[in-house]
Amino acid sequence: MSEIFVYVEHFQGIVSDITYMCLAQAQQIAKSNGGNVVAVLLGHNIELLSKDLFADEIITVSHDSLAEFTYDPFAAVLAKIIQDKQPGLMIFGDTSIGSDLAGGLSARLHLPLVSFCKEIKAEEGKLRFVAQICGGKIFAEGDLKECTSLVTLSPGKFKAKDGKTTTTPKVSAYSLPAFEKSRITLKEIILPSGEDLDISKEEILIGIGRGIENEDNVSLAKELADALGGELCASRPVIDQGWLSTSRLVGKSGKTIKPKLYLALGISGAPEHVESIEESEMIIAVNTDPEAPIFNIARYGTTENLLDISKELIRSIQKVKGG
Ligand SMILES: Cc1cc2nc3c(=O)[nH]c(=O)nc-3n(C[C@H](O)[C@H](O)[C@H](O)COP(=O)(O)OP(=O)(O)OC[C@H]3O[C@@H](n4cnc5c(N)ncnc54)[C@H](O)[C@@H]3O)c2cc1C
């Protein structure tokens, strides 16, 4: 197998977890099919970012025009690298940046692209993809072509820790190719307000979904969270209603969580939510629908009404605490 390239996504001096997951996937392919794993790192002042990338080689392009991500310069540089090096496969994270680049490069270089991959398996010298399409309702499988194939990989199957190493690989600087002035200028990055907590760091999380039914019931979930010593987070319908702040959104458009306990109340388990809870140590689901997909990932579950369960749990915890 020829080389497997991985695009290194980073923001404000930190490599994104999805990049390490892509490297773990690339390493798995290299192990069964051979070939080197090459991380492609674009940016400015990026020397320190390469230190723990689990790759045989890192290609870096450092220039102030790449200090912040905008499509035009990044796509132009990547297009040149792909044309020069002709990797067998290039993996991007299934993120807004990864999808932007992979889609654009596919059109620009006439290369095949498979989006929303859950996994790429090496079978008898061929690469087979499994992609989750139509909002996760359909699994599509197929062979990757033998030219450079582009894929975007969704989180879930691979752990970020498996894409990290303590041995710094060989780093090769690639000179900046000429490209036209970017059509887009980055004016400002607006970060979420710092006043709320960072749910990605919480150990006990109570997630509320549409099953919570109305805003008044949110206070019951909050009471349960307090009793358990945890915090509230939510699926998208709850956030869209404005019942909790955006910083508490779990999922594709929000945060990835890794708590010791995730208690999901009235959450169906849509792929956009599930992809961000898979690293939780224990998931307990409360959902009146026994067919809800959340039960596929939960360790324990009940089909009781979440309001009854919440009240009962609060009562039991208070009893144990002697309150
Ligand atoms: C591009 C894109 C990005 C997205 N990003 C995100 C994201 O970041 N995060 C996210 O969460 N979603 C995201 N979504 C939306 C996602 O597809 C789902 O629509 C959403 O996760 C559903 O939320 P839910 O499970 O709360 O609601 P529903 O799917 O409506 O599920 C509600 C569940 O509650 C159960 N229920 C109802 N009443 C009770 C009760 N009394 N007791 C117990 N159970 C009860 C029902 O059986 C049902 O399973 C995204 C979608 C797209 C297309």
Side-chain angles (χ1 to χ4, degrees), residues 130-143:
V130 182
Q132 212 176 358
I133 57 171
C134 297
K137 293 190 174 64
I138 298 173
F139 281 97
E141 286 196 38
D143 292 330

Side-chain angles (χ1 to χ4, degrees), residues 241-287:
Q241 290 289 336
W243 297 343
L244 285 181
S245 74
T246 318
S247 58
R248 300 210 181 206
L249 173 62
V250 177
K252 193 180 206 70
S253 340
K255 290 234 163 111
T256 295
I257 55 167
K258 306 167 194 165
K260 289 193 168 143
L261 169 67
Y262 183 50
L263 175 59
L265 302 176
I267 292 178
S268 60
E272 295 84 3
H273 188 84
V274 165
E275 68 174 46
S276 301
I277 65 171
E278 279 168 317
E279 287 192 57
S280 306
E281 277 180 37
M282 183 186 294
I283 299 171
I284 303 178
V286 181
N287 194 309

Side-chain angles (χ1 to χ4, degrees), residues 116 135 137 208-213 217 234-240 249-255 262 264-276 286-295 302-308:
F116 317 118
K137 293 190 174 64
I208 49 174
R210 208 196 305 265
I212 197 83
E213 288 173 11
N217 290 335
S235 66
R236 191 147 127 187
V238 171
I239 302 296
D240 287 350
L249 173 62
V250 177
K252 193 180 206 70
S253 340
K255 290 234 163 111
Y262 183 50
L265 302 176
I267 292 178
S268 60
E272 295 84 3
H273 188 84
V274 165
E275 68 174 46
S276 301
V286 181
N287 194 309
T288 44
D289 175 6
E291 303 293 327
I294 191 79
F295 290 124
T302 169
T303 52
E304 294 296 319
N305 186 317
L306 74 87
L307 301 175
D308 298 339

Side-chain angles (χ1 to χ4, degrees), residues 44-251:
H44 188 45
N45 297 328
I46 46 177
E47 293 71 24
L48 289 177
L49 299 186
S50 58
K51 66 180 189 313
D52 63 351
L53 301 174
F54 190 10
D56 299 290
E57 185 187 345
I58 300 173
I59 295 177
T60 60
V61 187
S62 179
H63 192 268
D64 58 8
S65 60
L66 303 172
E68 301 290 353
F69 176 79
T70 51
Y71 174 79
D72 285 335
F74 278 67
V77 174
L78 287 174
K80 184 75 175 61
I81 294 174
I82 292 171
Q83 280 172 324
D84 264 10
K85 310 270 180 186
Q86 307 269 326
L89 176 66
M90 178 137 192
I91 308 175
F92 296 83
D94 182 30
T95 60
S96 48
I97 288 179
S99 307
D100 203 6
L101 285 171
L105 287 165
S106 167
R108 184 177 186 144
L109 302 176
H110 306 289
L111 296 175
L113 163 66
V114 184
S115 299
F116 317 118
C117 277
K118 292 302 283 179
E119 186 180 13
I120 299 145
K121 296 185 234 176
E123 284 175 4
E124 295 163 7
K126 283 193 167 179
L127 293 184
R128 210 167 159 70
F129 67 81
V130 182
Q132 212 176 358
I133 57 171
C134 297
K137 293 190 174 64
I138 298 173
F139 281 97
E141 286 196 38
D143 292 330
L144 288 177
K145 296 215 165 168
E146 280 171 19
C147 54
T148 302
S149 294
L150 309 177
V151 302
T152 65
L153 184 78
S154 307
K157 176 82 188 167
F158 297 92
K159 300 233 180 297
K161 68 177 175 49
D162 297 329
K164 293 185 183 179
T165 182
T166 47
T167 330
T168 307
K170 178 181 139 198
V171 178
S172 323
Y174 190 89
S175 47
L176 187 79
F179 55 82
E180 289 181 5
K181 194 172 177 302
S182 178
R183 293 165 296 175
I184 299 164
T185 313
L186 185 76
K187 289 200 164 166
E188 189 187 359
I189 295 174
I190 303 168
L191 295 171
S193 78
E195 62 210 35
D196 207 357
L197 86 167
D198 179 357
I199 55 168
S200 69
K201 298 200 168 74
E202 291 297 317
E203 295 203 332
I204 300 178
L205 284 169
I206 288 70
I208 49 174
R210 208 196 305 265
I212 197 83
E213 288 173 11
N214 60 55
E215 191 170 11
D216 290 344
N217 290 335
V218 176
S219 54
L220 179 68
K222 173 77 175 89
E223 212 183 313
L224 175 58
D226 290 344
L228 285 167
E231 288 288 347
L232 280 186
C233 58
S235 66
R236 191 147 127 187
V238 171
I239 302 296
D240 287 350
Q241 290 289 336
W243 297 343
L244 285 181
S245 74
T246 318
S247 58
R248 300 210 181 206
L249 173 62
V250 177

